[in-house]
Amino acid sequence: MELTAATTIRKPGTDVYTFWRDLENLPTFMAHLEQVRVTGDRTSHWVADAPFGNDVQWDAEIVDEVPGEKIAWRSTGNADVPNAGTVWFVPAPDGASTEVHVLLTYDIPGGTIGKAVAKYFGEEPHQQLDDDLRRLKQVLETGEVIRSDGAPWGKRARKEFPQRPAQPLSDAELAKGADA
Amino acid sequence: MRANTWAGRNKVEVRDVPDPKILNGRDAIVRITSTAICGSDLHLVDGYVPTMQDGDVMGHEFMGEVIEVGPDVPADRLRPGDRVVVPFPIACGACAACAAELYSCCENSNPNAGIAEKMFGHPLAGIFGYSHLTGGYAGGQAQYARVPFADVGPLKIDSDLTDEQVLFLSDILPTGYMGAEMCDIRPSDVVAVWGAGPVGQFAMDSARVLGAATVIAIDREPYRLRMAEQAGYKTINFDDADVRSRLLELTGGRGPDKCIDAVGMEATHGSAHIGAYDRIKQAVRSETERPHALRQAILSCRSGGVVSVIGVYGGLLDKFPAGAWMNRSLTLRTGQCHVQRYMKPLLDRIERGELDPTRIITHTLPLDQAERGFEIFKNKQDNCEKVVLKPVKRHRHFSKNDNGSSAGEVGI
């Protein structure tokens, strides 16, 4: 499966590149990712949440990189869901902003995990990637993922719609979910 | 706290809801001293804006006192104790739209942007108390409100102007002003304004201060037309006269140079069969608007004129007079108001006495009577033009009878 998406962020390309190149930043805006741990100069370990409370884990390596312009990576070893991605950082015509173009590919296997993952991604995968990039833009432009009273869950995009009623959260609700 | 909430179609209800809390670093919590009911609230209550939920706190015109700020609000920008008017669009101040002063198109403030994008092609900003399509933010018809990006939007009021003089800087005064500004008014211009409700009245005042030669108000409510007349404008009651013919008479056959639609999606009009057509289509959801005022403005405007649309539309309309628009070189301009752009200059005009926003207030009620406020405003009872609601300043301890009798204020 191939997914593409793009956004424009009003920051210089080097800022956007630097933020993304620290792969441990990715879970702050990508809904599926729980953790990315950098294990070497070009290697990392990724943990994504999957349906039914399972985690999907894999190792990844950066396979191509042009500082300030492009980062490409792919999973290595025996990944449950082999995947690869490339992100390009392109100066926008306004001279102040950077276009971020993302290409993700997933090799969804057969078997139980494959079915579960396919179902998981089946819920509007493009929308999820678009929303991920929207949060990247929020983080870089405003410093954080924006929360409303009806959508207090930050990057937990799948909960954003339908939302809860737009009224302040009680302390119990706040303790339970707002920062997850 | 007490808050006025959406409780289903044609129903609002004042309820107890939790107090707002800081969720983002640039939030502020405001204790509300005055809030208002807006014409666009009626589109929510009437059920024409989708994605409302039972319990949503309503209201997007409010002001009050800052009682708490998040850790990322610069102290030189806003601090507890400041008196502020809060603009209805929530804007981050950092994206390309905000940089272009298009605050109501802010690219970061709507957490539900995906849904808005599907409906409108591109998302719009978050708006207080205005459905989940615009983010699901709790509104300001309440005792307290959380204000995101508090370092960008709220306007500090340092002078001793009353709440009533400055409250409408939150929405309807800048909206009316933007409607007139989009007309590029010249000294010889005749400006016709459809709708003599609060926004229409402010569009008229703004057209006058921007130098229009003549301003004409179009409505069917005699008390609203009287209000316009008392402010010095000509009037047309569309129940008594054919609007286009009357406008031609008043302009030597040319038509108004500039036309402002301050009505929007729930227009009513004198022609029964077209009215019925729109009502039926809207009722079965095959068009979301009743665009009669817009059609009439386009057909009445002089060739080469400007039609400026500040009435709220939500989705799709049909029978749009594209032929008149194209063949007669009309300019159509519109937008949700970019309130942040206008607040300070309009405050200056209020301070200089060029604008008196208090002239439209007909009713002031306690917040607990919001339901009644909606009823008289919606049904134009008791000559109602604009309702201001006053939340009660809360006391820390409530007796068993909940009459708030004991002393000690919260958070001041």
Side-chain angles (χ1 to χ4, degrees), chain A residues 1 11 13 25 34 54 84 98 105 110 140 150 152 167 175:
Chain A
M1 181 174 59
K11 287 279 177 187
N25 283 328
E34 280 183 4
N54 296 319
T98 304
T105 56
L140 282 164
Q167 61 176 240

Side-chain angles (χ1 to χ4, degrees), chain A residues 10 124 127 134 137-138 141-142 144-150 160-161 163-171 174, chain B residues 18-19 21 24-26 53-57 94-95 99 107-108 111-114 117-118 132 135-138 146:
Chain A
R10 204 160 168 272
E124 298 217 10
Q127 184 68 59
R134 243 193 279 281
K137 179 177 162 73
Q138 287 173 6
E141 288 184 342
T142 79
E144 54 196 344
V145 173
I146 180 78
R147 297 157 196 271
S148 74
D149 312 273
E160 282 184 5
F161 197 84
Q163 301 185 346
R164 66 186 297 288
Q167 61 176 240
L169 280 70
S170 67
D171 290 331
L174 207 55
Chain B
D19 287 350
K21 294 161 195 78
N24 282 95
R26 291 161 69 188
Q53 287 187 29
D54 189 359
D56 287 346
V57 177
C95 65
E107 296 160 10
N108 286 317
N112 224 352
E117 203 166 52
K118 283 194 177 63
H132 292 261
Y137 287 95
R146 164 186 171 246

Side-chain angles (χ1 to χ4, degrees), chain B residues 233-358:
Chain B
Y233 311 124
K234 293 186 177 170
T235 62
I236 299 174
N237 185 327
F238 65 76
D239 274 347
D240 301 341
D242 177 75
V243 172
R244 183 178 163 279
S245 310
R246 187 80 188 103
L247 284 170
L248 293 185
E249 283 165 28
L250 287 168
T251 56
R254 300 185 305 277
D257 301 285
K258 310 290 160 65
C259 295
I260 299 175
D261 169 5
V263 177
M265 62 163 81
E266 292 190 68
T268 52
H269 54 86
S271 168
H273 61 284
I274 300 181
Y277 167 87
D278 281 329
R279 274 185 181 279
I280 290 164
K281 289 209 71 168
Q282 195 177 36
V284 300
R285 295 287 190 267
S286 69
E287 81 178 333
T288 50
E289 333 287 344
R290 303 197 302 259
H292 181 67
L294 178 59
R295 289 185 193 126
Q296 201 171 55
I298 289 172
L299 293 173
S300 304
C301 194
R302 75 143 158 94
S303 293
V306 178
V307 177
S308 162
V309 182
I310 47 176
V312 172
Y313 290 91
L316 305 167
L317 61 82
D318 65 1
K319 301 289 184 288
F320 176 81
W325 173 46
M326 185 270 158
N327 286 291
R328 292 199 297 105
S329 302
L330 298 177
T331 299
L332 196 60
R333 296 183 71 181
T334 186
Q336 283 281 8
C337 185
H338 307 295
V339 178
Q340 285 84 339
R341 195 202 290 178
Y342 299 102
M343 290 179 99
K344 183 67 176 77
L346 287 175
L347 176 65
D348 293 345
R349 284 189 189 268
I350 294 168
E351 280 175 341
R352 289 199 299 267
E354 295 170 23
L355 291 166
D356 173 22
T358 64

Side-chain angles (χ1 to χ4, degrees), chain B residues 101-256:
Chain B
E101 296 194 306
L102 298 166
Y103 298 101
S104 72
C105 302
C106 174
E107 296 160 10
N108 286 317
S109 62
N110 185 349
N112 224 352
I115 304 297
E117 203 166 52
K118 283 194 177 63
M119 210 164 148
F120 296 142
H122 293 273
L124 64 167
I127 298 177
F128 292 102
Y130 210 74
S131 88
H132 292 261
L133 190 64
T134 60
Y137 287 95
Q141 287 167 10
Q143 286 180 297
Y144 300 89
R146 164 186 171 246
V147 178
F149 300 123
D151 52 332
V152 177
L155 173 73
K156 261 197 272 187
I157 305 292
D158 293 320
S159 60
D160 55 1
L161 292 170
T162 63
D163 276 19
E164 284 69 15
Q165 284 175 290
V166 294
L167 171 61
F168 303 137
L169 289 168
S170 59
D171 176 350
I172 54 172
L173 180 59
T175 296
Y177 186 85
M178 187 167 118
E181 192 193 61
M182 288 190 294
C183 289
D184 292 334
I185 290 170
R186 296 177 191 189
S188 60
D189 276 352
V190 177
V191 179
V193 180
W194 274 256
V199 170
Q201 300 279 352
F202 286 156
M204 296 170 213
D205 290 354
S206 302
R208 189 196 61 217
V209 301
L210 289 171
T214 305
V215 176
I216 304 167
I218 301 157
D219 204 297
R220 79 183 325 170
E221 297 297 332
Y223 74 91
R224 293 191 160 184
L225 292 170
R226 266 200 308 278
M227 184 176 269
E229 214 167 71
Q230 277 160 12
Y233 311 124
K234 293 186 177 170
T235 62
I236 299 174
N237 185 327
F238 65 76
D239 274 347
D240 301 341
D242 177 75
V243 172
R244 183 178 163 279
S245 310
R246 187 80 188 103
L247 284 170
L248 293 185
E249 283 165 28
L250 287 168
T251 56
R254 300 185 305 277

Side-chain angles (χ1 to χ4, degrees), chain A residues 126-138:
Chain A
H126 280 100
Q127 184 68 59
Q128 292 183 31
L129 183 56
D130 283 348
D131 288 342
D132 283 345
L133 291 190
R134 243 193 279 281
R135 282 185 292 272
L136 169 69
K137 179 177 162 73
Q138 287 173 6

Side-chain angles (χ1 to χ4, degrees), chain A residues 97-129:
Chain A
S97 306
T98 304
E99 295 176 8
V100 179
H101 297 262
V102 179
L103 165 68
L104 298 181
T105 56
Y106 295 90
D107 186 3
I108 295 178
T112 318
I113 289 183
K115 272 187 196 157
V117 169
K119 182 160 184 262
Y120 194 53
F121 276 119
E123 301 171 15
E124 298 217 10
H126 280 100
Q127 184 68 59
Q128 292 183 31
L129 183 56

